[in-house]
Short mmCIF file of all heavy atoms in Angstrom, two decimals:
data_model
loop_
_atom_site.label_atom_id
_atom_site.label_comp_id
_atom_site.label_asym_id
_atom_site.label_seq_id
_atom_site.Cartn_x
_atom_site.Cartn_y
_atom_site.Cartn_z
N ASP A 837 -32.17 -105.02 -23.41
CA ASP A 837 -31.10 -106.01 -23.35
C ASP A 837 -29.75 -105.33 -23.11
O ASP A 837 -28.89 -105.85 -22.39
CB ASP A 837 -31.04 -106.83 -24.65
CG ASP A 837 -32.27 -107.72 -24.83
OD1 ASP A 837 -32.93 -108.02 -23.82
OD2 ASP A 837 -32.54 -108.11 -25.98
N PHE A 838 -29.58 -104.16 -23.72
CA PHE A 838 -28.36 -103.36 -23.53
C PHE A 838 -28.24 -102.96 -22.06
O PHE A 838 -27.16 -103.08 -21.45
CB PHE A 838 -28.43 -102.13 -24.43
CG PHE A 838 -27.18 -101.30 -24.47
CD1 PHE A 838 -26.09 -101.68 -25.24
CD2 PHE A 838 -27.11 -100.10 -23.78
CE1 PHE A 838 -24.94 -100.89 -25.29
CE2 PHE A 838 -25.96 -99.31 -23.83
CZ PHE A 838 -24.88 -99.71 -24.59
N ILE A 839 -29.35 -102.50 -21.48
CA ILE A 839 -29.35 -102.10 -20.07
C ILE A 839 -29.08 -103.31 -19.18
O ILE A 839 -28.32 -103.21 -18.20
CB ILE A 839 -30.69 -101.43 -19.71
CG1 ILE A 839 -30.83 -100.09 -20.45
CG2 ILE A 839 -30.81 -101.21 -18.20
CD1 ILE A 839 -32.21 -99.47 -20.38
N SER A 840 -29.67 -104.45 -19.51
CA SER A 840 -29.44 -105.67 -18.71
C SER A 840 -27.96 -106.06 -18.71
O SER A 840 -27.41 -106.46 -17.68
CB SER A 840 -30.27 -106.83 -19.26
OG SER A 840 -31.65 -106.57 -19.09
N ALA A 841 -27.32 -105.94 -19.88
CA ALA A 841 -25.89 -106.27 -19.97
C ALA A 841 -25.08 -105.31 -19.10
O ALA A 841 -24.14 -105.73 -18.40
CB ALA A 841 -25.42 -106.19 -21.43
N LEU A 842 -25.45 -104.02 -19.11
CA LEU A 842 -24.75 -103.04 -18.28
C LEU A 842 -24.96 -103.33 -16.79
O LEU A 842 -24.00 -103.26 -16.00
CB LEU A 842 -25.24 -101.63 -18.62
CG LEU A 842 -24.66 -100.49 -17.79
CD1 LEU A 842 -23.14 -100.42 -17.92
CD2 LEU A 842 -25.28 -99.15 -18.21
N GLU A 843 -26.19 -103.68 -16.41
CA GLU A 843 -26.48 -104.00 -15.00
C GLU A 843 -25.63 -105.18 -14.53
O GLU A 843 -25.08 -105.17 -13.42
CB GLU A 843 -27.96 -104.35 -14.84
CG GLU A 843 -28.91 -103.17 -14.98
CD GLU A 843 -30.37 -103.60 -15.00
OE1 GLU A 843 -30.66 -104.70 -15.54
OE2 GLU A 843 -31.21 -102.85 -14.49
N LYS A 844 -25.51 -106.18 -15.37
CA LYS A 844 -24.73 -107.37 -15.02
C LYS A 844 -23.26 -107.02 -14.80
O LYS A 844 -22.63 -107.48 -13.84
CB LYS A 844 -24.88 -108.42 -16.13
CG LYS A 844 -24.17 -109.74 -15.84
CD LYS A 844 -24.42 -110.74 -16.96
CE LYS A 844 -23.68 -112.04 -16.69
NZ LYS A 844 -23.86 -113.02 -17.81
N ILE A 845 -22.72 -106.19 -15.69
CA ILE A 845 -21.30 -105.81 -15.61
C ILE A 845 -21.05 -104.91 -14.40
O ILE A 845 -20.03 -105.04 -13.71
CB ILE A 845 -20.86 -105.14 -16.93
CG1 ILE A 845 -20.84 -106.18 -18.06
CG2 ILE A 845 -19.49 -104.48 -16.79
CD1 ILE A 845 -20.90 -105.61 -19.44
N LEU A 846 -21.99 -104.00 -14.10
CA LEU A 846 -21.84 -103.11 -12.95
C LEU A 846 -22.16 -103.82 -11.64
O LEU A 846 -21.75 -103.36 -10.56
CB LEU A 846 -22.76 -101.89 -13.09
CG LEU A 846 -22.40 -100.86 -14.15
CD1 LEU A 846 -23.49 -99.81 -14.25
CD2 LEU A 846 -21.06 -100.19 -13.83
N GLY A 847 -22.93 -104.91 -11.72
CA GLY A 847 -23.37 -105.60 -10.51
C GLY A 847 -24.41 -104.81 -9.75
O GLY A 847 -24.54 -104.95 -8.52
N LYS A 848 -25.18 -103.98 -10.46
CA LYS A 848 -26.22 -103.17 -9.84
C LYS A 848 -27.43 -103.08 -10.76
O LYS A 848 -27.30 -103.01 -11.97
CB LYS A 848 -25.72 -101.73 -9.58
CG LYS A 848 -24.68 -101.62 -8.48
CD LYS A 848 -24.37 -100.15 -8.17
CE LYS A 848 -25.52 -99.48 -7.45
NZ LYS A 848 -25.16 -98.10 -7.01
N GLN A 849 -28.62 -103.08 -10.14
CA GLN A 849 -29.85 -102.92 -10.91
C GLN A 849 -30.12 -101.44 -11.18
O GLN A 849 -29.84 -100.58 -10.34
CB GLN A 849 -31.04 -103.50 -10.14
CG GLN A 849 -31.04 -105.03 -10.06
CD GLN A 849 -31.28 -105.67 -11.41
OE1 GLN A 849 -30.39 -106.28 -11.99
NE2 GLN A 849 -32.49 -105.50 -11.93
N ALA A 850 -30.68 -101.17 -12.34
CA ALA A 850 -31.05 -99.79 -12.68
C ALA A 850 -32.50 -99.53 -12.31
O ALA A 850 -33.37 -100.40 -12.48
CB ALA A 850 -30.86 -99.56 -14.18
N ARG A 851 -32.77 -98.36 -11.76
CA ARG A 851 -34.16 -97.90 -11.60
C ARG A 851 -34.53 -97.15 -12.86
O ARG A 851 -33.88 -96.17 -13.23
CB ARG A 851 -34.28 -96.99 -10.37
CG ARG A 851 -34.10 -97.75 -9.06
CD ARG A 851 -34.38 -96.86 -7.85
NE ARG A 851 -33.35 -95.84 -7.67
CZ ARG A 851 -33.60 -94.55 -7.53
NH1 ARG A 851 -34.84 -94.09 -7.62
NH2 ARG A 851 -32.60 -93.69 -7.33
N LYS A 852 -35.58 -97.61 -13.53
CA LYS A 852 -35.90 -97.12 -14.87
C LYS A 852 -37.07 -96.14 -14.84
O LYS A 852 -38.14 -96.44 -14.32
CB LYS A 852 -36.22 -98.30 -15.80
CG LYS A 852 -35.08 -99.31 -15.91
CD LYS A 852 -35.49 -100.53 -16.71
CE LYS A 852 -34.40 -101.60 -16.67
NZ LYS A 852 -34.28 -102.25 -15.37
N ASN A 853 -36.84 -94.98 -15.43
CA ASN A 853 -37.87 -93.96 -15.60
C ASN A 853 -38.35 -94.04 -17.04
O ASN A 853 -37.72 -93.50 -17.95
CB ASN A 853 -37.26 -92.58 -15.29
CG ASN A 853 -38.29 -91.48 -15.33
OD1 ASN A 853 -39.49 -91.73 -15.21
ND2 ASN A 853 -37.83 -90.25 -15.54
N LEU A 854 -39.46 -94.76 -17.26
CA LEU A 854 -39.94 -95.01 -18.63
C LEU A 854 -40.65 -93.78 -19.17
O LEU A 854 -41.59 -93.25 -18.55
CB LEU A 854 -40.88 -96.22 -18.64
CG LEU A 854 -40.24 -97.55 -18.17
CD1 LEU A 854 -41.27 -98.66 -18.17
CD2 LEU A 854 -39.05 -97.92 -19.04
N LEU A 855 -40.21 -93.33 -20.36
CA LEU A 855 -40.70 -92.09 -20.96
C LEU A 855 -41.07 -92.31 -22.42
O LEU A 855 -40.60 -93.26 -23.05
CB LEU A 855 -39.62 -91.01 -20.87
CG LEU A 855 -39.18 -90.59 -19.46
CD1 LEU A 855 -37.90 -89.76 -19.54
CD2 LEU A 855 -40.29 -89.81 -18.78
N PRO A 856 -41.92 -91.42 -23.00
CA PRO A 856 -42.26 -91.55 -24.43
C PRO A 856 -41.08 -91.23 -25.33
O PRO A 856 -40.06 -90.69 -24.88
CB PRO A 856 -43.40 -90.54 -24.62
CG PRO A 856 -43.24 -89.57 -23.50
CD PRO A 856 -42.65 -90.33 -22.36
N LEU A 857 -41.23 -91.54 -26.61
CA LEU A 857 -40.20 -91.25 -27.61
C LEU A 857 -39.94 -89.76 -27.68
O LEU A 857 -40.88 -88.97 -27.72
CB LEU A 857 -40.64 -91.78 -28.98
CG LEU A 857 -39.60 -91.76 -30.11
CD1 LEU A 857 -38.47 -92.74 -29.82
CD2 LEU A 857 -40.26 -92.09 -31.44
N GLN A 858 -38.68 -89.36 -27.67
CA GLN A 858 -38.30 -87.96 -27.75
C GLN A 858 -38.44 -87.43 -29.18
O GLN A 858 -38.17 -88.16 -30.14
CB GLN A 858 -36.83 -87.80 -27.33
CG GLN A 858 -36.60 -88.02 -25.85
CD GLN A 858 -36.79 -86.73 -25.08
OE1 GLN A 858 -37.88 -86.44 -24.60
NE2 GLN A 858 -35.75 -85.95 -24.97
N PRO A 859 -38.82 -86.17 -29.35
CA PRO A 859 -38.84 -85.57 -30.70
C PRO A 859 -37.46 -85.69 -31.35
O PRO A 859 -36.45 -85.43 -30.71
CB PRO A 859 -39.21 -84.11 -30.44
CG PRO A 859 -39.91 -84.11 -29.12
CD PRO A 859 -39.28 -85.21 -28.32
N GLY A 860 -37.44 -86.08 -32.62
CA GLY A 860 -36.18 -86.20 -33.35
C GLY A 860 -35.55 -87.58 -33.28
O GLY A 860 -34.67 -87.90 -34.08
N ASP A 861 -36.00 -88.42 -32.33
CA ASP A 861 -35.44 -89.77 -32.20
C ASP A 861 -36.17 -90.75 -33.11
O ASP A 861 -37.37 -90.60 -33.38
CB ASP A 861 -35.59 -90.27 -30.76
CG ASP A 861 -34.43 -89.86 -29.88
OD1 ASP A 861 -33.51 -89.19 -30.40
OD2 ASP A 861 -34.43 -90.17 -28.69
N VAL A 862 -35.46 -91.78 -33.56
CA VAL A 862 -36.08 -92.87 -34.29
C VAL A 862 -36.09 -94.10 -33.38
O VAL A 862 -35.19 -94.28 -32.56
CB VAL A 862 -35.34 -93.18 -35.62
CG1 VAL A 862 -35.43 -92.00 -36.56
CG2 VAL A 862 -33.89 -93.55 -35.37
N PRO A 863 -37.11 -94.96 -33.48
CA PRO A 863 -37.19 -96.10 -32.57
C PRO A 863 -36.17 -97.20 -32.83
O PRO A 863 -35.86 -97.99 -31.95
CB PRO A 863 -38.62 -96.62 -32.77
CG PRO A 863 -39.07 -96.07 -34.07
CD PRO A 863 -38.33 -94.80 -34.31
N SER A 864 -35.63 -97.24 -34.07
CA SER A 864 -34.76 -98.37 -34.40
C SER A 864 -33.71 -97.97 -35.44
O SER A 864 -34.00 -97.20 -36.35
CB SER A 864 -35.61 -99.52 -34.95
OG SER A 864 -34.81 -100.61 -35.37
N THR A 865 -32.48 -98.48 -35.29
CA THR A 865 -31.46 -98.35 -36.33
C THR A 865 -30.82 -99.71 -36.57
O THR A 865 -30.67 -100.52 -35.64
CB THR A 865 -30.36 -97.34 -35.94
OG1 THR A 865 -29.64 -97.81 -34.80
CG2 THR A 865 -30.95 -95.96 -35.63
N TYR A 866 -30.44 -99.95 -37.82
CA TYR A 866 -29.91 -101.25 -38.23
C TYR A 866 -29.14 -101.03 -39.52
O TYR A 866 -29.72 -100.67 -40.54
CB TYR A 866 -31.08 -102.23 -38.41
CG TYR A 866 -30.76 -103.65 -38.84
CD1 TYR A 866 -29.45 -104.13 -38.93
CD2 TYR A 866 -31.79 -104.53 -39.16
CE1 TYR A 866 -29.19 -105.43 -39.32
CE2 TYR A 866 -31.54 -105.84 -39.54
CZ TYR A 866 -30.24 -106.28 -39.63
OH TYR A 866 -29.98 -107.57 -40.02
N ALA A 867 -27.83 -101.24 -39.49
CA ALA A 867 -26.96 -100.91 -40.62
C ALA A 867 -26.81 -102.08 -41.59
O ALA A 867 -26.43 -103.18 -41.19
CB ALA A 867 -25.59 -100.49 -40.12
N ASP A 868 -27.05 -101.81 -42.87
CA ASP A 868 -26.67 -102.72 -43.94
C ASP A 868 -25.22 -102.39 -44.29
O ASP A 868 -24.92 -101.26 -44.71
CB ASP A 868 -27.57 -102.49 -45.16
CG ASP A 868 -27.24 -103.39 -46.34
OD1 ASP A 868 -26.07 -103.77 -46.49
OD2 ASP A 868 -28.14 -103.68 -47.14
N VAL A 869 -24.30 -103.34 -44.09
CA VAL A 869 -22.87 -103.07 -44.32
C VAL A 869 -22.31 -103.90 -45.47
O VAL A 869 -21.10 -104.10 -45.58
CB VAL A 869 -22.04 -103.31 -43.04
CG1 VAL A 869 -22.41 -102.29 -41.97
CG2 VAL A 869 -22.20 -104.73 -42.51
N ASP A 870 -23.19 -104.38 -46.36
CA ASP A 870 -22.74 -105.22 -47.47
C ASP A 870 -21.69 -104.52 -48.33
O ASP A 870 -20.71 -105.14 -48.77
CB ASP A 870 -23.92 -105.63 -48.35
CG ASP A 870 -24.82 -106.67 -47.69
OD1 ASP A 870 -24.43 -107.18 -46.62
OD2 ASP A 870 -25.91 -106.96 -48.23
N ASP A 871 -21.88 -103.21 -48.60
CA ASP A 871 -20.92 -102.49 -49.44
C ASP A 871 -19.57 -102.36 -48.75
O ASP A 871 -18.52 -102.42 -49.39
CB ASP A 871 -21.45 -101.09 -49.78
CG ASP A 871 -22.62 -101.14 -50.75
OD1 ASP A 871 -22.82 -102.21 -51.36
OD2 ASP A 871 -23.32 -100.13 -50.89
N LEU A 872 -19.59 -102.16 -47.43
CA LEU A 872 -18.35 -102.07 -46.65
C LEU A 872 -17.57 -103.39 -46.76
O LEU A 872 -16.35 -103.39 -46.96
CB LEU A 872 -18.68 -101.76 -45.19
CG LEU A 872 -17.56 -101.28 -44.28
CD1 LEU A 872 -17.09 -99.89 -44.67
CD2 LEU A 872 -18.02 -101.29 -42.82
N VAL A 873 -18.29 -104.49 -46.64
CA VAL A 873 -17.66 -105.81 -46.75
C VAL A 873 -17.13 -106.04 -48.16
O VAL A 873 -15.99 -106.48 -48.36
CB VAL A 873 -18.67 -106.92 -46.36
CG1 VAL A 873 -18.07 -108.29 -46.62
CG2 VAL A 873 -19.09 -106.79 -44.90
N GLN A 874 -17.93 -105.68 -49.15
CA GLN A 874 -17.56 -105.93 -50.54
C GLN A 874 -16.37 -105.08 -50.99
O GLN A 874 -15.43 -105.57 -51.61
CB GLN A 874 -18.75 -105.65 -51.46
CG GLN A 874 -18.46 -105.85 -52.95
CD GLN A 874 -19.68 -105.57 -53.81
OE1 GLN A 874 -20.76 -106.09 -53.54
NE2 GLN A 874 -19.51 -104.74 -54.82
N ASP A 875 -16.39 -103.79 -50.66
CA ASP A 875 -15.37 -102.87 -51.15
C ASP A 875 -14.12 -102.83 -50.29
O ASP A 875 -13.02 -102.58 -50.79
CB ASP A 875 -15.93 -101.44 -51.25
CG ASP A 875 -17.04 -101.31 -52.28
OD1 ASP A 875 -17.29 -102.30 -53.00
OD2 ASP A 875 -17.65 -100.23 -52.36
N LEU A 876 -14.27 -103.06 -48.98
CA LEU A 876 -13.14 -102.88 -48.07
C LEU A 876 -12.79 -104.15 -47.29
O LEU A 876 -11.84 -104.16 -46.51
CB LEU A 876 -13.45 -101.75 -47.07
CG LEU A 876 -13.71 -100.39 -47.74
CD1 LEU A 876 -14.39 -99.44 -46.78
CD2 LEU A 876 -12.41 -99.80 -48.24
N GLY A 877 -13.58 -105.20 -47.49
CA GLY A 877 -13.30 -106.47 -46.80
C GLY A 877 -13.36 -106.36 -45.30
O GLY A 877 -12.60 -107.00 -44.58
N TYR A 878 -14.31 -105.53 -44.82
CA TYR A 878 -14.34 -105.27 -43.38
C TYR A 878 -15.76 -105.20 -42.86
O TYR A 878 -16.66 -104.68 -43.51
CB TYR A 878 -13.64 -103.94 -43.07
CG TYR A 878 -13.63 -103.64 -41.60
CD1 TYR A 878 -12.89 -104.43 -40.72
CD2 TYR A 878 -14.39 -102.60 -41.08
CE1 TYR A 878 -12.92 -104.19 -39.36
CE2 TYR A 878 -14.41 -102.34 -39.71
CZ TYR A 878 -13.67 -103.15 -38.86
OH TYR A 878 -13.71 -102.93 -37.52
N LYS A 879 -15.93 -105.72 -41.63
CA LYS A 879 -17.21 -105.64 -40.94
C LYS A 879 -16.97 -105.57 -39.44
O LYS A 879 -16.24 -106.38 -38.88
CB LYS A 879 -18.05 -106.89 -41.26
CG LYS A 879 -19.41 -106.89 -40.58
CD LYS A 879 -20.17 -108.18 -40.91
CE LYS A 879 -21.50 -108.22 -40.18
NZ LYS A 879 -22.22 -109.48 -40.42
#
């Protein structure tokens, strides 16, 4: 979806070279920011 948004903004399609997961990479990240909101009133 991130790539699709970039393609739309650039007005060009990307040619994709699909590869396996790289060593050291994680497949997903997702931040819990409840403490940031509670302590600093910010998100």
Side-chain angles (χ1 to χ4, degrees):
D837 293 339
F838 187 79
I839 293 169
S840 294
L842 177 59
E843 289 172 326
K844 183 178 178 182
I845 291 159
L846 289 174
K848 290 187 72 173
Q849 289 292 111
R851 291 187 290 128
K852 302 173 187 72
N853 185 21
L854 300 178
L855 298 167
L857 189 67
Q858 289 272 92
D861 273 0
V862 296
S864 176
T865 64
Y866 180 7
D868 180 330
V869 294
D870 288 352
D871 290 345
L872 195 69
V873 174
Q874 179 179 310
D875 295 354
L876 300 163
Y878 181 67
K879 180 182 177 183

